Amino acid sequence: MIHSRDIHGSSAPSRGRSLPRLLLAALTGLLTTALLSVGLVATSTAPASAAYPVLQVGSSGADVVAVQYLLTDRGLSTAADGQYGSGTEAAVSAFQSSRGLTADGMAGPQTIGALVRTLRQGDSGPAVQALQVELNKRGASLATDGAFGPATDSAVRSFQSSRGLSVDGVAGPNTWESLFGGSTGTPGTSYDSLSDEQRQNARTIIGVGKGAGVPEYGWVIALATAMQESTLINIDYGDRDSVGLFQQRPSQGWGTVAQCTDPVLASQAFYGVATHTPNPGLLDISGWQSMTVTQAAQAVQRSAYPDAYAKWESLARDIVAHEGGAPAIS
């Protein structure tokens, strides 16, 4: 409905002054649009590449660990084991219901966006642990102790600077989205999706295999296993006391924490050529060369998710195609 004041009231434009102003505003808008199209005007939005992932049952890696810590922070205690299983799904569904979101159990952009909270130096708790996990995924070397101290502040600022964000040391929505977005911790299906750290760890796994005389298929199995267990990041957290590239547990005889987080020693343990652990490795498994990747990996790892390794076989083979010339490590 058009009210009389829209035509005759005090809000109607004056012909003598406001019409040129309206024309100027229109021309300014057109000019701004033109400049944006050629990149001459900067916008204040987050980088276009930033986007929250969609995590669901079967997902694994640093992003899952971060979501698990965030769920715990919201009062839904969840094991931060990096495996998106039924327990994590149930916790996500409960959180979604509490926020009026579609309770589908999948942690997508809306859910993760609602889980994160703005953090700054002096904060502590599981949400800070989630932040530290995401920063470590991006190359930081922080203890995931849940204390937002000077080291975490410095890592946040460094990341913000690298992504063209406001460098204030405050982990707000844009910083969180950029940390989760374009994840290097959960690569896709090609070698090109790996970070420098992941490629170096892959070279170590291949090199140790070469040094032990393990045939190429064994490298593929080891790489697929490490992708599932840690996304080729030498992590210091996991299910219960699991740590390192292969999530080996000191309490289960795989060695000390230091040994399990040493990429060379962890790889030797997986292949079964380590001197620091009596646990059987790949070479101790009778008939491993005739097994599928999943069967062989599971024979060593004895995982609660025995069918999860298969999805990484294609990527593992692509890694071998690119890094097969890595020097032997003995």
Side-chain angles (χ1 to χ4, degrees):
M1 177 182 295
I2 299 177
H3 297 284
S4 59
R5 71 184 300 271
D6 295 324
I7 300 175
H8 303 292
S10 61
S11 63
S14 166
R15 289 182 182 273
R17 292 178 300 171
S18 298
L19 186 56
R21 191 176 301 162
L22 292 172
L23 289 172
L24 178 60
L27 289 172
T28 300
L30 289 172
L31 178 59
T32 300
T33 300
L35 290 173
L36 282 169
S37 69
V38 294
L40 295 180
V41 174
T43 66
S44 59
T45 58
S49 60
Y52 288 119
V54 175
L55 305 172
Q56 56 192 312
V57 172
S59 297
S60 62
D63 286 345
V64 175
V65 175
V67 165
Q68 291 167 330
Y69 276 130
L70 290 169
L71 287 165
T72 297
D73 178 70
R74 296 294 185 174
L76 297 161
S77 182
T78 309
D81 59 7
Q83 304 291 338
Y84 203 118
S86 58
T88 300
E89 181 183 41
V92 168
S93 292
F95 175 76
Q96 290 169 328
S97 295
S98 72
R99 290 303 184 96
L101 302 172
T102 301
D104 56 10
M106 295 190 295
Q110 278 191 311
T111 299
I112 300 176
L115 278 168
V116 301
R117 63 169 81 242
T118 297
L119 301 169
R120 52 180 51 83
Q121 190 165 350
D123 289 335
S124 62
V128 177
Q129 289 178 287
L131 176 64
Q132 291 166 332
V133 166
E134 287 295 319
L135 289 166
N136 286 343
K137 184 188 76 177
R138 296 294 184 173
S141 299
L142 300 169
T144 52
D145 57 7
F148 198 133
T152 300
D153 178 79
S154 177
V156 170
R157 291 175 186 272
S158 178
F159 175 76
Q160 289 171 330
S161 178
S162 72
R163 298 304 289 265
L165 300 170
S166 176
V167 183
D168 56 10
V170 176
N174 283 351
T175 298
W176 276 110
E177 187 174 359
S178 292
L179 281 167
F180 270 97
S183 167
T184 59
T186 309
T189 58
S190 71
Y191 174 81
D192 291 338
S193 68
L194 299 178
S195 68
D196 289 341
E197 179 185 0
Q198 290 165 318
R199 293 179 186 185
Q200 179 56 53
N201 287 329
R203 284 191 286 271
T204 297
I205 292 171
I206 292 172
V208 170
K210 277 188 174 182
V214 179
E216 186 173 299
Y217 183 49
W219 313 345
V220 171
I221 295 169
L223 290 166
T225 301
M227 279 301 310
Q228 171 60 25
E229 299 294 350
S230 69
T231 60
L232 281 172
I233 300 294
N234 191 27
I235 53 180
D236 62 355
Y237 55 82
D239 179 30
R240 287 164 285 189
D241 60 334
S242 299
V243 291
L245 291 174
F246 295 94
Q247 287 292 275
Q248 293 159 341
R249 296 181 60 192
S251 65
Q252 298 300 307
W254 286 101
T256 65
V257 171
Q259 290 168 331
C260 292
T261 52
D262 182 314
V264 172
L265 295 181
S267 299
Q268 290 174 341
F270 177 81
Y271 287 125
V273 296
T275 59
H276 66 274
T277 173
N279 287 5
L282 185 65
L283 298 183
D284 299 308
I285 306 302
S286 178
W288 69 266
Q289 293 192 61
S290 62
M291 296 179 180
T292 65
V293 166
T294 286
Q295 290 170 337
Q298 175 62 6
V300 178
Q301 298 294 104
R302 300 184 295 280
S303 169
Y305 303 91
D307 300 321
Y309 304 104
K311 65 176 178 284
W312 299 114
E313 181 174 355
S314 176
L315 175 56
R317 291 186 181 280
D318 195 22
I319 294 172
V320 169
H322 283 83
E323 297 288 359
I329 299 174
S330 57

